[in-house]
Structure formats: structure tokens, C-alpha cells
Amino acid sequence: MKKLSIILLGVLFCSGTSRAEQSFEAWKQQFALKAAQENISAEVIENNVPKMTYLPQVVELDRKQPEFSLSFSNYAKRMVTPERVKKGREWIKKEKTLLNEIYQAYGIPPAYLLAFWGLETNYGKTKGTTNILDALATLSYDERRSAFFTEQLITFLKILQKDKIEVPQGSWAGAFGHFQFMPTTFFQYAVDVDKDGRRDIVNSFPDALGSAAHYLSRMGWDKNLTWGREVELPPDFWNTSFDKTASYPLSFWTEEGLLRMDGRAYRPEELDISAHLVLPEGANGPAFLVYKNFDVIKRWNRSDFYALAIGLLADQIAGKESSDVRSFKEQKNLHKSDVIQVQEKLKKLGYYQGVIDGRLGSGTKKAVAAYQKQHGLPEDGFLSKEVLEKILK
């Protein structure tokens, strides 16, 4: 192997030295050795590792938590906009041939690809302004998630080695391209649709679309299903005893009185489809029965809000009858301090065992649901203004 002369000048630090005592430049020397052990060529290492620059603003962004958690109604109105729908429809017409070819190859309907593209980068307008090499190096050097980002950085060097692309700009967290792939996702799922010998999700629109479709296909997308639809809950829904969080066939849900908002009946062949209920704003907000493809969307982004927005935007781009997000009742955004107070109170009452972090995660929602059950409230796990006030009184 060619000697890494540019990288390995100077004294390497002792194995017992802590990360806090290491300078970024010294860390780069150790990283160069690791990269060589991962079969990264000397040329790629020497052309890239010395250029890595520490970006303190990236660490600040990684540490920063938003002071408010957007309500679903506010999130949906921000993401599923008339302008985004209009633009998506224009792209479907403009790229009809390419989108159809990708559909034939991977089974992903064009409207869904356009919905992902619209939400991720606003149809390519906001792909990010941070040097990906610098972002990944900074987060690899930082202790909080070093192992994860070191894997991403090593993989990114492998991409530079294999695909011969220029170092792109992207998000501060290391995602890049039209669909904001992390390096490991790119490495495993990116495809060369335009047949130029490179997988380029930054500058090649065909490669970007095809790579997104390939990923969704490999995650288990069922081209015979939609994602789900909005339903209306019956008045006595919360008085029934079955598990509201479980999946059941559509025949079960219809027997329980959950009706499609458009008033139509399910076709006989649909009644065996497994569905589960999503209540993004609790018992008093919109309700959705979602199918397997909803879970595939969540393999891309684990947020229910995101998956619902993708489904709703895709429906509107495709011209299907869809929920009007502007009709969703306005809900108050939750302040981080509110969630902290609730976590502290629920921990004191024995419902919550997690970290007091101000994040409304699954553990906090389960604790809220347990409190609701104990106090005769609908067990939706939703921290509404009324539930918050009741817990904190």
C-alpha cells in the first residue's frame, strides 16, 4: 500500500489519550489509519482527509433541541401546501416517461416519489449548504454519536472511491442529494439510471429518482396498496375494550364503526387488508387507518407526522380525493418546558421511568396513556392542553 505521507506526518497520540485531549488534526491522523484498514485507497485518503475542516456550528446544531414541538395540524399545513402540490403535478407531466420507466422497474408510483422529493428538498431547491465531508468528519470527531458518524464517513470515502463524484454540499447531519440520503443508504441503494457509470444523486435527476424508488422497493413497498386514508371515529369508540394500538383487517374496523371520510364503502377485496389506527392529535383530531406502505414510509423517516404528510401530499399530487390539511383544527404547539413538567410529574406519580428531556417520545406518550386510563380519559397518549392541565394541577 502506498505510504500515507501527507496524512501521517507527526506523532500519533497514545492509545490512552481521551477524545477531549485530542486535537482535530491529531484525530485526522488516527482516522487516516482506520480508513486505510477499511481498504480506502491512499489516493482517496490523501485527497480528502487533510481537507477535513472542523465545523463547530455542526456540533451546536446536533446539540440543539427545538423549544417547541409542532402540532400535527401546523406541521401538515407547513408541508402539504398548494404550491408543493402544484409543483409535483408539473413534474409528473414534465418527466412522465422517466417516472413511468422507474415505476415499471421498482413499482413506486410517481406521486409518492414526487412527495418525498418535495418534502426532502422542495424539489431540489434546498439540498443543503454544508460540505458533507466536513460535516461527517466533525460529527465523527465529536463524542456524542461518534461510532455512527465514523461509519458514515468511512462509507462516504468508499463512495468517492467507487463512484468518482465530487464532494457535495448537503445537510449539517451528512445527508445529501435530491432525496437526502445518508452515505450508508447511498452505498447500498443508489443506482445508475442514466448509465453514465456513476451513481450521482446530486446532479443526475434519473439517478436520484431511481435510487429513491429502489430504496422504497427494497423496504417492502406494495404497489397494490395505497398508504392509508382518513376515517371518522364513531361516538362510542373510546368505550370499546379492544386494543386501539393493534392492527386488524379493514373488515374489523368497519364493524367497529370507523367510516371513510369520503363516505365510500371498502371494496370486498380490500376488507382483508391489515390496518392500524394513527391519531396524530389524539382523540379530538383527525384519525387515519394506515396500511403496510405507511410503515415503509416510516423506514425512511420514523415520524408519524412525516409519513402522514407524504401520504397526503402524494394523494393530492396524483389528483386523488384527499384530506384537506387546511381544514384540520388548529392545535397549540407544545413548549419543551411543558413536556419537562409533565415528565417530572408523571415520574413522581410512577407512570414514567425515562429521561427528563422535554421530548415527546414514545415513552412519554405511553406514560400519558397510562395516566389517561387510570383517570377515565381516552387512552390516546396525546398531550392536549386539557390533559396537560389535568396532569399538572
Side-chain angles (χ1 to χ4, degrees):
M1 180 180 291
K2 181 182 176 182
K3 185 177 179 182
L4 304 178
S5 56
I6 297 179
I7 307 299
L8 301 180
L9 292 174
V11 180
L12 295 178
F13 20 75
C14 300
S15 59
T17 305
S18 71
R19 171 64 58 86
E21 297 171 323
Q22 299 174 7
S23 71
F24 184 64
E25 292 302 316
W27 172 83
K28 289 199 296 188
Q29 294 178 31
Q30 277 197 336
F31 176 79
L33 291 175
K34 180 175 179 60
Q37 293 169 356
E38 295 287 342
N39 297 317
I40 308 297
S41 71
E43 180 182 5
V44 169
I45 294 173
E46 293 182 355
N47 285 343
N48 291 282
V49 175
K51 299 176 184 176
M52 293 176 179
T53 302
Y54 181 76
L55 302 176
Q57 66 269 30
V58 165
V59 177
E60 292 172 9
L61 288 167
D62 186 55
R63 296 289 193 275
K64 188 176 181 181
Q65 287 187 38
E67 288 301 310
F68 288 92
S69 297
L70 274 181
S71 67
F72 173 68
S73 56
N74 290 334
Y75 176 88
K77 290 169 186 175
R78 179 180 294 186
M79 296 298 170
V80 187
T81 64
E83 295 77 18
R84 207 162 260 169
V85 172
K86 180 174 180 280
K87 197 70 176 177
R89 291 174 177 173
E90 290 173 354
W91 275 104
I92 281 188
K93 291 180 180 179
K94 183 178 179 180
E95 296 291 346
K96 181 178 179 179
T97 300
L98 172 62
L99 287 163
N100 185 59
E101 290 174 355
I102 290 173
Y103 175 72
Q104 295 302 321
Y106 300 109
I108 313 300
Y112 286 96
L113 289 180
L114 272 297
F116 276 102
W117 189 30
L119 258 63
E120 289 295 336
T121 62
N122 196 19
Y123 303 108
K125 289 184 178 179
T126 55
K127 288 183 282 189
T129 58
T130 305
N131 180 285
I132 291 299
L133 189 65
D134 294 343
L136 292 172
T138 298
L139 293 167
S140 299
Y141 172 69
D142 184 57
E143 290 183 319
R144 194 172 86 85
R145 292 188 288 170
S146 178
F148 172 79
F149 281 106
T150 297
E151 179 188 11
Q152 298 298 324
L153 181 55
I154 289 290
T155 303
F156 184 69
L157 292 181
K158 290 180 179 179
I159 292 168
L160 296 180
Q161 182 168 289
K162 178 180 179 180
D163 295 277
K164 311 297 182 184
I165 63 173
E166 297 292 326
V167 175
Q169 291 186 320
S171 78
W172 64 264
F176 62 100
H178 285 278
F179 289 86
Q180 295 293 278
F181 276 16
M182 291 298 289
T184 49
T185 303
F186 175 102
F187 197 76
Q188 189 169 357
Y189 300 105
V191 291
D192 178 19
V193 174
D194 61 16
K195 306 301 181 185
D196 68 349
R198 300 185 306 161
R199 301 176 299 170
D200 185 356
I201 63 171
V202 178
N203 302 303
S204 170
F205 186 56
D207 287 4
L209 280 175
S211 298
H214 182 222
Y215 176 82
L216 291 168
S217 175
R218 291 285 296 276
M219 291 302 104
W221 190 272
D222 187 339
K223 67 178 182 180
N224 298 312
L225 286 178
T226 182
W227 65 275
R229 54 174 45 92
E230 188 178 2
V231 294
E232 185 176 3
L233 303 181
D236 62 346
F237 181 73
W238 294 102
N239 296 325
T240 55
S241 59
F242 69 91
D243 183 359
K244 310 295 190 300
T245 65
S247 294
Y248 304 98
L250 284 176
S251 57
F252 174 88
W253 291 111
T254 55
E255 289 170 4
E256 292 296 327
L258 277 75
L259 304 176
R260 289 172 47 156
M261 292 296 289
D262 59 16
R264 299 178 184 175
Y266 293 105
R267 299 191 303 273
E269 62 269 23
E270 293 178 317
L271 293 176
D272 289 334
I273 295 174
S274 180
H276 66 272
L277 185 64
V278 175
L279 301 169
E281 290 188 327
N284 297 316
F288 301 88
L289 280 179
V290 299
Y291 316 142
K292 174 186 175 183
N293 286 340
F294 181 86
D295 297 324
V296 172
I297 296 171
K298 290 187 66 175
R299 298 287 296 273
W300 186 299
N301 184 313
R302 290 179 291 179
S303 165
D304 280 351
F305 286 15
Y306 181 91
L308 289 169
I310 288 289
L312 293 168
L313 180 57
D315 282 351
Q316 292 193 30
I317 290 173
K320 294 181 180 179
E321 189 166 342
S322 177
S323 305
D324 181 1
V325 300
R326 291 169 294 182
S327 70
F328 293 161
K329 184 180 177 181
E330 197 78 15
Q331 297 285 345
K332 178 185 175 183
N333 295 330
L334 275 177
H335 196 280
K336 179 181 173 183
S337 61
D338 294 330
V339 181
I340 287 175
Q341 289 184 69
V342 166
Q343 289 174 330
E344 290 173 340
K345 184 65 177 292
L346 291 177
K347 176 166 279 193
K348 186 181 295 185
L349 295 173
Y351 294 102
Y352 181 63
Q353 307 302 322
V355 178
I356 308 297
D357 58 5
R359 295 183 179 183
L360 196 59
S362 59
T364 304
K365 290 178 181 177
K366 287 178 181 178
V368 171
Y371 176 91
Q372 290 170 323
K373 181 178 181 180
Q374 194 73 21
H375 291 79
L377 302 170
E379 300 167 46
D380 56 18
F382 182 67
L383 197 57
S384 66
K385 178 182 177 182
E386 293 74 21
V387 172
L388 186 148
E389 290 174 351
K390 188 173 180 64
I391 292 174
L392 296 181
K393 71 175 182 181

